[in-house]
């Protein structure tokens, strides 16, 4: 009887232990599955959705979207463009300090997301005109970094054959690069009027800073 009772207790302990081990393994497996699913999803995600802040419009009868979706390909392209501009400007800074670049040098470092983000919202056929920080815009408009650095160093391989320098870079849709504060605003208004006159559906974006907002030419063109 003693052996039978001992055997019964041993069997119950073994059965209980087996249950706890099996149950713990099951819980661990479930936990690992829960952890692996989001990790696997992040690893294979091809897009991400973001909420957009409300933006009040002036004299526009349109409704802006409240969300946007970014694909993996677009995100990698934006990152590559911003990184290229930053490295290009870092190289230009080094060339300037070594006196390979003469005259003025207005770097676009820290503003890479501005030109890359705006380019993503418009078309290559739309027009851009900006102030003297135009290196980033020259790149997003199709000028290679080699041609930009050659322009900065005054070489014939530059986008303006070395005659424009830091503040005067152009393409067929980039109208500068302007060294005069606020000068790009009336010119940009004229380019926009040309698009309207031709009815081609294109726009012209004029970029200026707070210093240009107090210029008479800006106030005249904005009325």
């Amino acid at each position: 009887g003693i052996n039978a009772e001992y055997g019964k207790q041993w069997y119950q302990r073994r059965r209980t232990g087996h249950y706890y081990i099996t149950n713990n393994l099951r819980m661990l497996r479930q936990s690992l599955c829960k952890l692996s699913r989001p990790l696997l999803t992040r690893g294979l995600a091809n897009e991400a959705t973001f909420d957009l802040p409300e933006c009040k419009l002036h004299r526009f009868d349109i409704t802006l979207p409240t969300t946007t979706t970014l694909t993996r390909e677009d995100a990698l392209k934006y990152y590559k463009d911003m990184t290229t501009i930053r490295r290009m400007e870092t190289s230009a800074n080094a060339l300037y300090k070594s006196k390979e670049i003469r005259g003025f040098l207005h770097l676009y470092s820290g503003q890479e997301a501005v030109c890359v983000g705006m380019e993503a919202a418009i078309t290559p056929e739309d027009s851009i005109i900006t102030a003297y920080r135009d290196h980033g815009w020259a790149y997003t408009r199709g000028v290679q970094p080699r041609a930009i650095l050659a322009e900065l160093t005054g070489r014939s391989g530059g986008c303006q054959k070395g005659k424009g320098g830091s503040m005067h870079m152009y393409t067929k849709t980039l109208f500068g690069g302007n060294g005069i504060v606020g000068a790009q605003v009336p010119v940009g208004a004229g380019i926009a009027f040309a698009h309207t006159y031709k009815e081609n559906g294109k726009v012209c974006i004029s970029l200026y800073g707070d210093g240009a907002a107090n210029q008479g030419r800006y106030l005249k063109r904005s009325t």
Side-chain angles (χ1 to χ4, degrees), residues 50-58 60-68 121:
F50 302 92
D51 294 329
L52 299 177
E54 182 181 0
C55 181
K56 295 183 179 180
L57 302 176
H58 177 65
F60 279 94
D61 296 329
I62 60 175
T63 301
L64 295 179
T66 57
T67 60
T68 185

Side-chain angles (χ1 to χ4, degrees), residues 76-90 112 116 139:
L76 290 174
K77 180 182 182 303
Y78 301 156
Y79 178 76
K80 180 181 178 181
D81 289 343
M82 289 188 291
T83 303
T84 301
I85 295 172
R86 173 59 66 90
R87 292 185 177 181
M88 179 183 69
E89 295 298 72
T90 302
E112 298 88 352
V116 174
Y139 173 75

